[in-house]
Amino acid sequence: MAMNASVLVLKDSLKRESGAKVHQANTQAAKAVADIIRTTLGPRSMLKMLLDASGGIVVTNDGNAILREIDIAHPAAKSMIELSRTQDEEVGDGTTSVIVLAGEMLHVAQAFIDKNYHPTVICLAYTKALDDAIAVLDKIAMPVDVNDRVAMLGLVKSSIGTKFTGQFGDLIADLAIDATTTAGVDLGQGMREVDIKKYIKVEKVPGGQLEDSRVLKGVMINKDVVAPGKMSRKIVNPRIILLDSPIEYKKGENQTNAELMKEEDWQVLLEMEEEYIKNLCAQILKFKPDLVITEKGLSDLAIHYLSKAGVSAIRRLRKTDNNRIAKACGAVIVNRPEELQESDVGTGAGLFEVKKIGDEFFAFIVDCKDPKACTVLLRGASKDVLNEVERNLQDAMSVARNILKNPKLLPGGGATELTVSATLKQKSSSVEGVEKWPYEAAALAFEAIPRTLAQNCGLNVIRTMTQLQGKHANGENAWVGLDGRSGDIVDMKERKVWDSYSVKAQTFKTAIEAACMLLRIDDIVSGIKKKQAPGASAPKQPQIETEGDADNEQMIPE
């Protein structure tokens, strides 16, 4: 990188790392991140105990949850951690696999970097390998009937069998399938959309046993009626009105001054306010509701009028909870009480009830006719257990959602990766030019997943991998993999160890694209100024390098 002109360095705080050193540093950083969570892959995986920023403890084997709490300074490592987050947001599962695979892709590429292969050549080979890998997935994928409860249950169970809740059998899988089928919306042409974040709420209530957890056919909110003594806490087949406006005196937008000339004017002002509230309540009571819920405030006078009419009321509800209630009971959220219509009243709920669980009151709007939103009530021994169960449930619901959106299955237990690896090894002989060797290395990198599974099972890794490679040698036995519980090499169809097509395809795409991106980085430049210690000497003057100095590897001095 010789330069013909001298270089003028204007900032002595600018540091630079370049060439092969950068690739080596990036590979090491990626491998370090992969090694942190490598032991959490598979049903016999280890748990990690994390201390979060507030001093709390998190015990989990969820890849994304672990990496979220880790603070790493290296930019390549930060990029790797972001992969796990992307995977979690996109498909909700495979957060550990994507990191392990990306780390391995970078690791096998390092040998070619050392031999002075250009990163672009390696990236081209990797992209070709990705296209061929997706083609293999399409070939071996098996369609599944989303209405077949047993098949769906088996799939969700195999996906969360590696998690903490795997020990509780079908419980979490049952909850996930019930919740996603309840909140699913048909888009036509056989397509279904399930918005987990918006329409499925998970309420964690410490106490009771995990077996007491259930999916409610409706919504549960952490609220009580505003006047418990005067308002009913149990209503069968309630008529529900949902509001997004306050039922209280209208306050001035800014500081409002009112000048009263006579004493009677004060009385008139109060009467006008009361009249305003009375009219609002009259407009609502015209539709004979049993329950009024508003996101804003509710004045004492409004409470009086509503309770006098035998109407229960709940105030200051979250916007998200209000949306869920609307979806569950068929009501429409109204912004102005004067615009209310009969069609806005929700009549789909079978029961409104307020119950006390532990120290808190919870309002239940349940037994809905055709709810498009639901609440999953989780019970458990402690907050730590409940938090881990919730993380596992989110993964299970994501898996169920992926199947509803793209109903195809692939073998689990490392069988998919082994089949892809064997097929790519065969195809590598037909790849021409220097891309042949990186392509072959990518094929080997896919074996990282079954190898890690074997390690976490405590098996003899070399012997197990040799047996598995023998089974998959000619692209045969596509469904033969490793049973993570027993350590046996078996047909995954028999053991019902499956993976969702969406998760596998997303894992391969994310891992390889990220590896290519990190390989194409040849400089890490930092423009961060170092803080000067008090009493230190003045900063150096701008410095001019000669042509002879510029030939050195480190062009810009610290």
Side-chain angles (χ1 to χ4, degrees), residues 24 39 50 81 197 201 220 247 253 258 268 368 370 390 432-433 456 458 499 521 538 541:
Q24 199 170 359
T39 56
L50 312 168
I81 289 170
K197 285 185 180 170
K201 175 79 183 287
M220 161 189 171
I247 312 176
E253 288 293 320
V268 172
C368 299
D370 184 23
E390 186 195 11
E432 294 176 355
N456 292 347
D499 262 327
I521 296 168
Q541 291 298 312

Side-chain angles (χ1 to χ4, degrees), residues 36 43 48 79 81 100 111 257 318 325 339 384 493 546 554:
I36 290 168
K48 303 277 184 193
S79 176
I81 289 170
V100 171
N257 293 325
R318 283 198 193 104
I325 295 171
E339 291 174 0
D384 289 333
K493 273 182 193 160
T546 63
Q554 189 161 354

Side-chain angles (χ1 to χ4, degrees), residues 8-198:
L8 179 63
V9 183
L10 292 174
K11 282 190 181 177
D12 66 329
S13 62
L14 193 70
K15 294 191 298 182
R16 194 164 177 216
E17 232 183 276
S18 60
K21 277 187 181 177
V22 167
H23 289 119
Q24 199 170 359
N26 286 351
T27 303
Q28 283 170 352
K31 202 162 182 305
V33 173
D35 287 343
I36 290 168
I37 61 167
R38 195 182 292 276
T39 56
T40 66
L41 187 75
R44 285 201 192 167
S45 60
M46 306 301 284
L47 292 164
K48 303 277 184 193
M49 182 178 270
L50 312 168
L51 277 170
D52 63 20
S54 57
I57 290 172
V58 180
V59 180
T60 182
N61 67 350
D62 183 282
N64 184 43
I66 295 164
L67 293 176
R68 261 201 322 254
E69 301 295 339
I70 290 174
D71 186 29
I72 294 179
H74 198 285
K78 280 185 176 172
S79 176
M80 286 285 286
I81 289 170
E82 205 57 46
L83 295 187
S84 164
R85 199 166 299 157
T86 307
Q87 182 81 1
D88 193 57
E89 283 174 13
E90 200 63 34
V91 288
D93 195 24
T95 50
T96 307
S97 306
V98 74
I99 298 288
V100 171
L101 191 56
E104 193 68 20
M105 286 287 171
L106 285 167
H107 179 61
V108 296
Q110 186 57 43
F112 301 106
I113 296 290
D114 293 343
K115 289 176 185 169
N116 291 327
Y117 271 60
H118 197 280
T120 310
V121 174
I122 302 170
C123 292
L124 282 170
Y126 275 13
T127 309
K128 202 175 277 184
L130 173 60
D131 293 340
D132 291 343
I134 299 296
V136 174
L137 295 189
D138 291 329
K139 189 178 165 188
I140 64 169
M142 181 179 88
V144 62
D145 178 12
V146 291
N147 298 317
D148 182 354
R149 175 85 183 193
V150 177
M152 288 285 285
L153 199 61
L155 175 72
V156 177
K157 261 180 72 181
S158 74
S159 297
I160 60 159
T162 62
K163 313 278 187 213
F164 167 76
T165 49
Q167 61 192 304
F168 298 107
D170 298 353
L171 178 70
I172 296 296
D174 266 325
L175 292 176
I177 292 170
D178 287 342
T180 45
T181 47
T182 301
V185 179
D186 281 315
L187 302 175
Q189 299 174 336
M191 298 281 287
R192 273 177 80 80
E193 180 56 57
V194 184
D195 195 330
I196 292 173
K197 285 185 180 170
K198 214 171 180 184

Side-chain angles (χ1 to χ4, degrees), residues 208-486:
Q209 294 179 310
L210 200 59
E211 286 74 18
D212 299 337
S213 303
R214 65 187 193 276
V215 175
L216 304 172
K217 283 200 69 153
V219 180
M220 161 189 171
I221 46 176
N222 190 352
K223 288 275 179 188
D224 191 4
V225 291
V226 285
K230 299 176 187 172
M231 292 178 173
S232 173
R233 275 184 167 160
K234 184 173 183 180
I235 305 166
V236 179
N237 295 327
R239 284 171 60 81
I240 301 172
I241 286 180
L242 302 179
L243 297 172
D244 183 18
S245 60
I247 312 176
E248 54 190 353
Y249 316 123
K250 213 167 193 175
K251 300 186 176 64
E253 288 293 320
N254 297 314
Q255 287 182 343
T256 310
N257 293 325
E259 193 173 330
L260 306 176
M261 305 303 288
K262 299 197 291 289
E263 197 178 326
E264 297 82 55
D265 290 352
W266 178 246
Q267 195 61 36
V268 172
L269 195 68
L270 291 177
E271 282 171 9
M272 282 167 69
E273 286 186 345
E274 284 183 19
E275 194 63 33
Y276 174 73
I277 298 292
K278 195 173 183 179
N279 286 338
L280 279 183
C281 291
Q283 282 158 355
I284 293 166
L285 295 172
K286 197 164 59 177
F287 293 93
K288 297 185 171 53
D290 299 307
L291 176 64
V292 173
I293 299 175
T294 177
E295 292 173 31
K296 305 288 195 314
L298 198 60
S299 71
D300 291 346
L301 193 61
I303 292 170
H304 164 72
Y305 285 127
L306 291 174
S307 61
K308 202 171 160 188
V311 177
S312 297
I314 292 174
R315 66 180 163 195
R316 305 203 191 286
L317 194 72
R318 283 198 193 104
K319 182 86 183 162
T320 50
D321 284 334
N322 214 9
N323 285 335
R324 270 189 284 272
I325 295 171
K327 280 278 183 183
C329 71
V332 176
I333 300 171
V334 179
N335 294 320
R336 297 165 62 132
E338 53 265 32
E339 291 174 0
L340 265 169
Q341 297 172 348
E342 181 59 37
S343 57
D344 298 333
V345 181
T347 54
L351 176 69
F352 164 73
E353 191 175 12
V354 177
K355 287 184 189 171
K356 190 176 184 186
I357 304 176
D359 296 335
E360 296 188 63
F361 286 95
F362 291 91
F364 291 82
I365 297 169
V366 288
D367 298 342
C368 299
K369 286 172 193 151
D370 184 23
K372 290 293 168 218
C374 63
T375 300
V376 183
L377 174 59
L378 290 182
R379 307 300 307 273
S382 71
K383 279 187 179 174
D384 289 333
V385 171
L386 278 174
N387 287 339
E388 180 64 2
V389 171
E390 186 195 11
R391 278 191 287 270
N392 296 170
L393 178 64
Q394 292 289 356
D395 284 357
M397 288 194 297
S398 298
V399 170
R401 180 195 62 190
N402 293 335
I403 295 301
L404 289 171
K405 285 177 81 171
N406 191 352
K408 283 192 206 167
L409 296 184
L410 288 166
T416 303
E417 286 81 5
L418 285 161
T419 307
V420 168
S421 180
T423 311
L424 294 187
K425 277 181 201 166
Q426 280 181 320
K427 283 196 173 181
S428 66
S429 55
S430 62
V431 177
E432 294 176 355
V434 285
E435 288 175 23
K436 177 187 165 114
W437 289 280
Y439 184 95
E440 205 170 300
L444 285 169
F446 279 104
E447 291 179 358
I449 302 289
R451 188 168 64 243
T452 305
L453 274 175
Q455 277 171 348
N456 292 347
C457 288
L459 303 173
N460 182 323
V461 179
I462 296 171
R463 185 179 298 160
T464 307
M465 285 304 294
T466 309
Q467 285 175 316
L468 283 166
Q469 284 162 347
K471 294 264 187 192
H472 285 267
N474 302 315
E476 300 165 354
N477 305 315
W479 284 70
V480 170
L482 190 66
D483 184 333
R485 295 189 180 285
S486 60

